Amino acid sequence: MTSVPTDSEQVERANTALYEAVERGDTTAMDRMWLDDPDVEVSCVHPGWPVLRGRSEVLRSFALIMASTEYIQFFLTDVEVAVAGDTALVTCTENILSGGPAESEGELGPLVGQLVVATNVFRRSGDGWRIWSHHGSPVLASEDEEEPEEGEGPGPSAA
Amino acid sequence: MTSVPTDSEQVERANTALYEAVERGDTTAMDRMWLDDPDVEVSCVHPGWPVLRGRSEVLRSFALIMASTEYIQFFLTDVEVAVAGDTALVTCTENILSGGPAESEGELGPLVGQLVVATNVFRRSGDGWRIWSHHGSPVLASEDEEEPEEGEGPGPSAA
C-alpha cells in the first residue's frame, strides 16, 4: 500500500531533484524544474554572486556552472520545509564536494569542500512544485559560534 | 484623489519598513513585521551566517545586530517585487553603511561599506504583508564580471 505524499514530502523531493540535476549536469531537467509563469519572475543568487532574474539568465548561469564543473556532489543536511498555500520555502545546508578539470587527461582535478546555506522557494503549478527562487550563500562562521571575535568572520553588524 | 496601492506597492513598502526598523533599532516594529503563524516557520540568513529558524531565534539575532551597531543605513537599489497569490518575493541590493561604537565617548566609530544582496519572502496576512524569510549574502564579484579570474572571488563552481 502506498500513501499519497504530503505537500511537504513533494516539496522535499523537488528540492532534492534540483541538486541531483546539477550533479548530473542535466540542463533539460533544470529547464523543467524552474517555474515558467509569465507573471512571476524567477530569481537566483549563487554564493557571492549578484541577483540573477528571469528564466533565461538563471538557466544560463546553471549551464555555465555545470559546464565548468567536472564533478559536483551535494550532501544536503538540516533540510526544513514550510508550506503555506501554494508556496513552499525550503532551508537547507549544502555540503558541497566539487572538482574542476584535471591538469592531465583522464584524471579528476583536486576536490574542494564548501559549506553553503540555501533558501529555496517553490510554487505549486498544475504539474507539481516548481522552483521560484534559489538563494545560496557561504557559511563563514560555525553554528555554535554566534558571536565571533572581532575580525574573525561575520559579526553581528550585517543584516 | 488617492489610489489604493497595488499588492506590489504594499510589498515594496513592507520591504522598506523592514530596513527602516533595523536602522532605528526598533525591536517592537520587527516583532510586528515578522509572520506570526504557528503553522509556518519563519527563517533568516544573515550574510555569512547559518540558517536561523523560528520567530524567537530570528528576532533575537536582529536584536543582537541592532544592539551592537551604533549606526547603520541601508540604501536599497535594484528592488524587484514578484507577487503570486498570497506570497511575494522581493530581491534587492543592500548598499550598507554602518559604524560600530567609537573608541572615545560621543564619537562615531569608523564607517564601513558593505554590498549585500537579499531575497525577502512576504506572506499576506489579515493585517498586511508579513516577512516569512530573509536571506542576505555578500556580493563578492561585480555585476559586469560574470566570469572572474581563478582565485579572484566566486567562480562558476558554486551553486
Side-chain angles (χ1 to χ4, degrees), chain B residues 11-121:
Chain B
V11 170
E12 186 163 351
R13 284 183 200 173
N15 190 63
T16 305
L18 166 68
Y19 293 102
E20 287 175 350
V22 178
E23 287 177 348
R24 293 196 310 272
D26 189 340
T27 52
T28 309
M30 289 300 282
D31 184 83
R32 203 176 49 233
M33 282 173 196
W34 281 81
L35 187 66
D36 194 358
D37 180 337
D39 296 327
V40 184
E41 191 172 49
V42 300
S43 64
C44 176
V45 178
H46 299 295
W49 288 39
V51 182
L52 307 177
R53 294 191 185 97
R55 282 176 56 84
S56 159
E57 197 176 19
V58 170
L59 290 172
R60 187 173 152 269
S61 76
F62 276 102
L64 176 69
I65 288 168
M66 297 189 291
S68 62
T69 308
E70 193 79 7
Y71 171 89
I72 189 161
Q73 191 160 8
F74 296 90
F75 302 93
L76 300 184
T77 52
D78 198 26
V79 181
E80 288 288 339
V81 181
V83 181
D86 292 333
T87 310
L89 200 143
V90 180
T91 47
C92 61
T93 302
E94 308 171 0
N95 304 269
I96 307 174
L97 195 63
S98 64
E103 305 264 317
S104 52
E105 211 181 321
E107 284 179 28
L108 201 63
L111 291 177
V112 181
Q114 226 187 325
L115 195 61
V116 167
V117 285
T119 301
N120 298 324
V121 185

Side-chain angles (χ1 to χ4, degrees), chain A residues 50-121:
Chain A
V51 182
L52 307 177
R53 294 191 185 98
R55 283 176 54 85
S56 158
E57 197 175 19
V58 170
L59 290 173
R60 188 174 151 268
S61 76
F62 276 102
L64 177 69
I65 288 168
M66 296 189 291
S68 62
T69 308
E70 193 79 7
Y71 172 89
I72 189 161
Q73 191 159 8
F74 296 91
F75 302 92
L76 300 184
T77 53
D78 198 25
V79 181
E80 289 287 340
V81 180
V83 181
D86 292 333
T87 309
L89 202 142
V90 179
T91 46
C92 61
T93 302
E94 307 171 0
N95 304 269
I96 306 174
L97 195 62
S98 64
E103 305 263 318
S104 51
E105 211 182 319
E107 281 179 29
L108 202 63
L111 291 176
V112 181
Q114 226 187 325
L115 196 61
V116 167
V117 285
T119 301
N120 298 323
V121 185

